[in-house]
Amino acid sequence: MNGRDLVRSVKMVGSVQALRSVRSSLRRRNADARALPRRGAERARVPGLVVGAEPGPGGGVVRFARSKLRVRVAVGGSVFWGWDGAEPLPSYALAGAAPEPDPRAELEPDKDGGWQVVSERLTVAVSRHGAVELRTPGGVVLRRELPPRWWEPVAGGAARWVQRSEVPADARFFGLGGRASGPRLRDGVYALWNTDPGGRFGPGDDPLYLTMPVQVVVSDAGTHLMFHDNTWSGRVTLREGEEGAGSGHDRLGMCEVRMDGGPLRCWVMAGTPARVLQGWTALTGAPALPPSWALGPQHARWGFGSEREVRRIVAGYRERGLPLSVLHLDIDHHDACRVFTVDRGRFPDLPGLAKELREDGVRLVSIVDPAVKAEPGNAVFDSGTAVGSGGAFVRDARGRAVRGEVWPGECVYPDFTDPQVRGWWGGLYEERLAQGFSGVWHDMNEPVSFAAFGDPTLPRSARHSLEGRGGDHREAHNVYGLEMARAGYEGLRRLRPDTRPFLFSRSGWAGMQRYGGTWSGDVETSWPGLRASLALVLGLGLCGVPYSGPDVGGFDGSPSPELYLRWFQLGAYLPLFRTHAAIDAGRREPWEFGPQVLAHARAALEERERLRPYFVTLAQLARLTGAPYVRPLWWGAPGERALRECEDAFLLGDALLVAPVLERGADRRAVRLPRGRWYDTATGEVYEGPGQVLLDAPLARVPVLARAGAVLPVRGADGGVELEVWAPAAGRSGGGLVVRDAGDGWERAEVERYTSRLVDGMVLVEREGEQGLVNYPVRVRGL
């Protein structure tokens, strides 16, 4: 037994529950020992030599001596391939039916006995030994997949496999879900198993709550996204390449994907970063559009404790003139931590409180955990046992409901891979709506069972429906949070069909953007934790999840005033702007850190509110195009090598470059600029990129630069929308997009396009397609 894990459990949940978690861990291990087959002797297999091919729609099947490979180019340019009969469906990642094959793409003979499929954006070449090479239309190699290898148990069972790849020597890796050490993923091993790190995490912790087998690779040859559509546990080993000096040879970059089971099938798309993300979201689904109020400042704390404290916090914001849009209630508002209940002693009139706050412009959001207290008389437990023929809860190999220790005590877990269970669970959100909540955040849904042996999850042998196919937790674990989000989102849509649901989830998988966003989870309160917060948001955006943000200030411990302020300033420019803290981490209201921090935090809040129309536009564009709000500096220029190395600044849309302060005591910082003219929005100073500049970063603000020619919507002094236009350089033009806030329903977004140009020393702003009509006040800056 690991004594350190036991001590951690005692600190988190108390001695009695910690001892029960030891029993739960032993029960889980024993269940796996009984039910999971031992691998025993294994037989290794490789594809062998090619023996023939069969053309088909969009590509065809290449047959080898011991395997077969299906290659299919889809309409839109994405490419699929699957070994041993693997097809695009069934898949938890895809938004619906697989895209139609491109009739123009055909399987044809290639050199040396291989085959190839030529498409508009990629050429897929298959060697006679089973290597798969991805080439640009100009013939430059983006990626080379070496022949895979399988290990199949002689006695039968799931085959594990490995796929090794080579990328150009200058390539850089990004993605793989939420990684605290990113956004650029350096040499190392990255696990694919959604995991609660246990109370706090920093840049060295891996894996975290949300892993995805989604790689974004950027090189001089181009940008491509590679997705291994497999939900089993696995690991990805990355090694960056190295270019040869003088007459030396290049050392290619390397990627190795090892999976413990499941199909070997991939999707790949290439092009500009914008085109790649557009193709990815076309495949996996458009991001859910958050209500406009969810783009404002939000406040949470584990341990508000009572209606009185909630009112005190909201009054504190109002008395100090600080904007606040949302307040989150954690597990302490539940009755004995049981989901879909309210502690009437602490919150005697929650609907009345919600109504009162909403009239003051503040929405309430509720935490929802998946663990259901296994207690007859508990309404959720009782109704769950009546779902279907066998009940709603995950069962072990003997047919008994799996039990684990979570906040309420001994709990059972809904099987969200069962459509009936998702329907039942989604209906339970009616209680949350009746209490006055406007949205939900899903927590503890990796899923978590407090454990003393380092793997806080359900037994891997636990049985799941998997949409009626049947299978165990090894396949279902990574999509558990995704399908819980699906259940909640679809339930909220049924219950309130005229209102966009607001939901974000700690855990998930590829495609989770269809149901909402995510947040960092329990990031440690430290300067490295602040840096990890930015890495997570950037990495998740490149995996197709545009709406995310950290616990501002860190989850555990007490931040110094400087650390809190710098975190607050970063959060003001991220999609989900939310303070949050553990029950013993102290208060995180801006006024708790002294008058200087309060003044600077007020400035950050006011700037966030001023930029609210811009955030509304970015949210709509993310839904329409897949482009994240927060983008790496290389987004518009992936060929600029210096920008690929920059991890401490980001683009907010196309118009703004934000350079947060991530180090203690810093009052100046170096900023790498993309090509073009940039204005310091605070001082008006002009800088020309590409290059690096040194900017002032006093405690009062972080450096923010605007692109010359940018047109962005902001909130004017009268509360209406106005256009902020940054003067274009002489001989150049600029522009921007505006999407009006149409409310929180499903009205179709109207995208307005504006251009800016310099004419006789004056900035001329016009709306495309409307004879130059501009319906907003215009404020020009930078002249």
Side-chain angles (χ1 to χ4, degrees):
M1 170 178 179
N2 188 325
R4 183 176 59 184
D5 288 330
L6 179 58
V7 170
R8 185 191 69 184
S9 296
V10 171
K11 288 182 177 179
M12 287 178 62
V13 301
S15 58
V16 174
Q17 197 165 21
L19 292 174
R20 288 204 300 256
S21 75
V22 173
R23 184 180 63 186
S24 175
S25 297
L26 292 171
R27 202 161 51 209
R28 173 179 54 79
R29 290 195 165 192
N30 291 336
D32 284 348
R34 287 192 306 267
L36 288 180
R38 297 182 181 277
R39 296 201 66 88
E42 294 180 318
R43 183 184 297 110
R45 173 169 63 88
V46 294
L49 289 174
V50 67
V51 296
E54 303 170 6
V61 175
V62 182
R63 296 189 178 276
F64 298 86
R66 291 178 291 277
S67 190
K68 62 180 181 179
L69 172 68
R70 177 180 296 280
V71 180
R72 181 185 302 165
V73 177
V75 172
S78 58
V79 177
F80 169 84
W81 71 77
W83 287 92
D84 289 346
E87 296 282 352
L89 297 175
S91 170
Y92 279 106
L94 271 60
E100 292 294 319
D102 186 343
R104 300 171 298 175
E106 297 181 354
L107 184 66
E108 58 189 35
D110 194 16
K111 59 185 180 181
D112 298 329
W115 295 82
Q116 69 174 6
V117 180
V118 180
S119 70
E120 181 180 0
R121 299 178 188 173
L122 278 175
T123 294
V124 184
V126 182
S127 79
R128 63 193 182 100
H129 293 285
V132 180
E133 199 167 82
L134 302 173
R135 305 175 190 148
T136 68
V140 179
V141 176
L142 284 174
R143 188 183 189 102
R144 186 170 188 265
E145 303 281 303
L146 303 179
R149 181 181 294 266
W150 295 265
W151 287 269
E152 299 167 332
V154 173
R160 57 190 180 94
W161 53 262
V162 61
Q163 174 75 74
R164 293 187 178 94
S165 312
E166 296 172 344
V167 297
D170 65 287
R172 296 292 180 259
F173 297 98
F174 301 86
L176 295 182
R179 304 288 168 170
S181 58
R184 173 182 160 197
L185 302 178
R186 289 171 169 77
D187 297 1
V189 180
Y190 301 88
L192 298 171
W193 187 256
N194 293 349
T195 303
D196 175 11
R200 57 179 288 180
F201 71 86
D205 291 301
D206 186 275
L208 298 179
Y209 314 95
L210 207 164
T211 68
M212 297 183 195
V214 179
Q215 306 168 37
V216 176
V217 184
V218 185
S219 68
D220 289 353
T223 301
H224 73 273
L225 181 149
M226 172 68 73
F227 168 50
H228 290 84
D229 193 354
N230 183 314
T231 67
W232 286 61
S233 64
R235 61 185 184 274
V236 179
T237 302
L238 301 177
R239 186 191 68 198
E240 293 182 344
E242 185 176 348
E243 292 183 297
S247 60
H249 294 289
D250 287 352
R251 177 171 61 82
L252 297 176
M254 185 275 293
C255 168
E256 178 185 275
V257 178
R258 288 182 176 268
M259 303 300 291
D260 294 335
L264 174 41
R265 56 182 180 175
C266 308
W267 287 91
V268 64
M269 45 216 68
T272 64
R275 176 171 282 183
V276 165
L277 264 293
Q278 187 171 25
W280 174 240
T281 52
L283 181 69
T284 61
L289 187 64
S292 57
W293 50 262
L295 297 171
Q298 307 185 34
H299 188 84
R301 192 206 312 156
W302 177 13
F304 281 133
S306 68
E307 287 187 9
R308 179 179 178 182
E309 177 67 3
V310 168
R311 286 193 175 91
R312 187 190 73 82
I313 297 300
V314 174
Y317 273 87
R318 293 296 180 252
E319 290 166 3
R320 293 168 177 84
L322 304 176
L324 178 67
S325 293
V326 186
L327 193 137
H328 299 248
L329 297 188
D330 211 316
I331 58 172
D332 52 292
H333 88 278
H334 289 308
D335 181 16
C337 297
R338 291 177 299 183
V339 68
F340 299 116
T341 64
V342 175
D343 185 330
R344 301 295 180 186
R346 297 180 176 183
F347 293 86
D349 182 18
L350 193 50
L353 174 66
K355 182 175 182 295
E356 172 188 326
L357 295 182
R358 186 162 185 155
E359 290 172 351
D360 197 26
V362 178
R363 267 80 170 182
L364 280 184
V365 168
S366 168
I367 190 172
V368 173
D369 290 354
V372 175
K373 186 172 179 62
E375 179 183 62
N378 174 9
V380 177
F381 176 75
D382 291 343
S383 66
T385 59
V387 173
S389 59
F393 305 114
V394 176
R395 297 187 172 272
D396 62 20
R398 297 181 176 182
R400 301 175 301 187
V402 173
R403 300 194 174 204
E405 285 292 322
V406 198
W407 302 118
E410 192 171 57
C411 293
V412 290
Y413 301 83
D415 180 6
F416 296 114
T417 69
D418 185 332
Q420 276 190 287
V421 175
R422 289 198 298 269
W424 160 74
W425 185 264
L428 297 176
Y429 289 74
E430 184 173 11
E431 182 273 341
R432 295 287 87 184
L433 296 177
Q435 295 295 340
F437 289 108
S438 299
V440 294
W441 52 295
H442 287 173
D443 205 345
M444 308 291 285
N445 58 339
E446 289 70 38
V448 170
S449 174
F450 296 148
F453 296 103
D455 186 12
T457 184
L458 302 184
R460 298 191 181 216
S461 59
R463 305 298 299 172
H464 290 263
S465 167
L466 291 166
E467 314 309 314
R469 294 181 289 110
D472 61 37
H473 198 65
R474 293 175 296 175
E475 183 178 358
H477 173 83
N478 281 334
V479 295
Y480 189 88
L482 170 74
E483 291 305 283
M484 181 186 179
R486 178 182 178 183
Y489 182 84
E490 292 176 348
L492 290 169
R493 285 207 62 174
R494 288 194 303 270
L495 294 165
R496 294 280 177 86
D498 297 329
T499 304
R500 297 198 302 268
F502 176 56
L503 183 152
F504 62 103
S505 171
R506 192 170 79 172
S507 183
W509 201 65
M512 69 171 295
Q513 73 276 357
R514 300 191 295 264
Y515 314 119
T518 185
W519 89 104
S520 66
D522 302 341
V523 61
E524 69 181 21
T525 300
S526 66
W527 290 94
L530 170 60
R531 185 176 290 270
S533 296
L534 176 57
L536 285 159
V537 174
L538 282 166
L540 288 163
L542 292 173
C543 291
V545 185
Y547 184 83
S548 68
D551 284 348
V552 168
F555 181 71
D556 69 316
S558 299
S560 68
E562 181 191 8
L563 175 58
Y564 174 82
L565 178 60
R566 292 308 195 186
W567 218 315
F568 202 88
Q569 291 167 334
L570 168 63
Y573 292 97
L574 299 181
L576 172 59
F577 179 22
R578 184 183 84 142
T579 59
H580 188 221
I583 194 168
D584 56 352
R587 291 171 173 166
R588 292 288 170 82
E589 294 77 50
W591 56 88
E592 298 290 347
F593 294 86
Q596 184 182 40
V597 169
L598 175 60
H600 299 333
R602 176 183 288 107
L605 285 167
E606 290 173 348
E607 180 64 6
R608 172 62 175 237
E609 288 298 275
R610 194 181 76 88
L611 291 175
R612 181 83 77 93
Y614 187 48
F615 275 94
V616 169
T617 294
L618 293 178
Q620 293 278 5
L621 295 178
R623 179 166 181 80
L624 293 171
T625 69
Y629 313 32
V630 171
R631 308 165 188 178
L633 292 190
W634 49 259
W635 178 262
E640 296 285 344
R641 292 192 179 187
L643 298 181
R644 294 182 214 154
E645 312 297 322
C646 183
E647 303 177 90
D648 60 356
F650 60 91
L651 298 174
L652 182 61
D654 285 331
L656 299 178
L657 188 159
V658 182
V661 174
L662 306 176
E663 297 178 355
R664 177 189 292 111
D667 59 5
R668 303 193 81 195
R669 60 151 297 171
V671 180
R672 174 71 59 180
L673 298 180
R675 192 174 304 275
R677 174 173 292 181
W678 297 86
Y679 297 94
D680 187 318
T681 59
T683 66
E685 289 289 325
V686 182
Y687 303 94
E688 294 288 340
Q692 184 168 279
V693 295
L694 189 64
L695 300 180
D696 289 333
L699 272 178
R701 59 180 175 84
V702 297
V704 178
L705 296 104
R707 191 189 301 271
V711 179
L712 65 155
V714 299
R715 183 174 289 175
D718 63 353
V721 175
E722 67 179 28
L723 300 184
E724 183 171 271
V725 182
W726 290 88
R732 300 179 187 174
S733 60
L737 304 176
V738 177
V739 183
R740 297 173 187 255
D741 184 358
D744 297 333
W746 300 97
E747 293 83 358
R748 184 177 178 83
E750 179 185 358
V751 179
E752 303 172 5
R753 300 177 182 273
Y754 293 88
T755 59
S756 66
R757 53 196 174 98
L758 202 60
V759 179
D760 297 330
M762 297 182 62
V763 175
L764 179 64
V765 180
E766 297 176 299
R767 180 177 175 183
E768 291 185 1
E770 294 290 336
Q771 292 79 44
L773 179 66
V774 177
N775 291 323
Y776 307 106
V778 175
R779 183 160 66 100
V780 175
R781 300 184 65 182
L783 276 182

